[in-house]
Amino acid sequence: MTTRTRVVLLSSIPQLVWLAVVTQGVTGCWTAENGGHWSGSLLLVLATTVLGVFFSIPSSTTFGIPYRPIDAVLLMVCAVSALRIDHWSSGFDTETFAFGAAATIAAVSAAIASRALAVSDSSALRPRFPVDGAQWTVLAGEGRLLNHHWVAPLQRAAVDLVMVDRRGSSHRGILARSDEDYYAFGTPVRSPIDGTVVRCGDGLDDGNLDPRKPAGNHVVLSDGSEEILIAHLKKGSVAVAAGEQVHVGQLLGSVGNSGNSTEPHLHIHAQRDGRAVRIVFSDVRGRMWPGRRVVRR
């Protein structure tokens, strides 16, 4: 089994779980015989919607269909199914209702807790957004829960940027067969700050998942007080050298899929005195919450 096949199968797990849960919820609404069963099933669908929005479940399903339009259609089906119920209070199903309510409360609580536990350094770094054109979705970001970067203290405010189309899909077609199928692959990456190249690396193959060299091809910049790591660059694209002075907007390389990366995207994180620093881009209004869409012209 190739590395890409393993990655596709692993990345499909949360999508399949999401599909199974919402299918159960919608089926429950459609077959409900009383208000308790219907309300509980509807709450289950709402809970999965909250998790998808706040924890950035992948922007599209394995088949390239966006989650949010699917959620909207399914919620409409749930609403219409209420017309099939003749006796709302007769034999009220308290067990199904309680389960749906608990799932919704848990999802909302998780979303609130993730924000409360986020990196909250008030002196956030304000670099320029490092890529141009199209739409970018923020995967990872400041939240603690369901943030795979949290285990690495210096990356707790890391931002992953994925280019998406109008569907919210990061690649062309139904399934991506190569790195070139991803919209982000090969997009120029420009320096977000004026500073010095502390170190950089190139020569690692794209599409070869390598946890031993997590940053892959990369560039580390310093402005004197903070260091910024820009990772997973395309093999052969790094355009600077260690010790070189760079300016905002200068070409650093291209978006790739090297290192510990499951698909072409750009990883950026900053540190100051051995602590993670929250990133708020100077030319993008607002903070980088997971799931946020950034439109560039």
Side-chain angles (χ1 to χ4, degrees), residues 4-24:
R4 179 165 298 280
T5 299
R6 289 197 300 270
V7 168
V8 170
L9 291 176
L10 289 173
S11 63
S12 297
I13 292 175
Q15 301 167 5
L16 294 175
V17 171
W18 170 86
L19 184 60
V21 173
V22 294
T23 299
Q24 179 182 350

Side-chain angles (χ1 to χ4, degrees), residues 9-10 17-18 32-33 64 67-68 97 105 126 130 138 140 172 180 192 216 224 226 244 260 263 278 293:
L9 291 176
L10 289 173
V17 171
W18 170 86
E33 297 180 354
Y67 278 94
R68 293 182 184 181
F97 178 78
I105 292 172
R126 297 183 178 275
V138 178
R172 303 171 184 84
E180 286 74 15
E226 293 94 7
E244 183 177 342
N260 193 25
E263 71 171 79
R278 182 164 51 88
R293 190 71 57 87

Side-chain angles (χ1 to χ4, degrees), residues 29 45 49 52 67 112 131 133 148 151 154 157 166 177 188 190 211 234 253:
C29 284
V45 177
T49 301
Y67 278 94
I112 294 173
V131 283
H148 65 279
V151 295
L154 293 181
R166 292 183 178 180
R177 291 179 171 80
R190 304 189 182 280
K234 182 180 178 182

Side-chain angles (χ1 to χ4, degrees), residues 20-43:
V21 173
V22 294
T23 299
Q24 179 182 350
V26 174
T27 301
C29 284
W30 194 257
T31 60
E33 297 180 354
N34 58 66
H37 194 171
W38 181 86
S39 300
S41 299
L42 177 63
L43 287 171

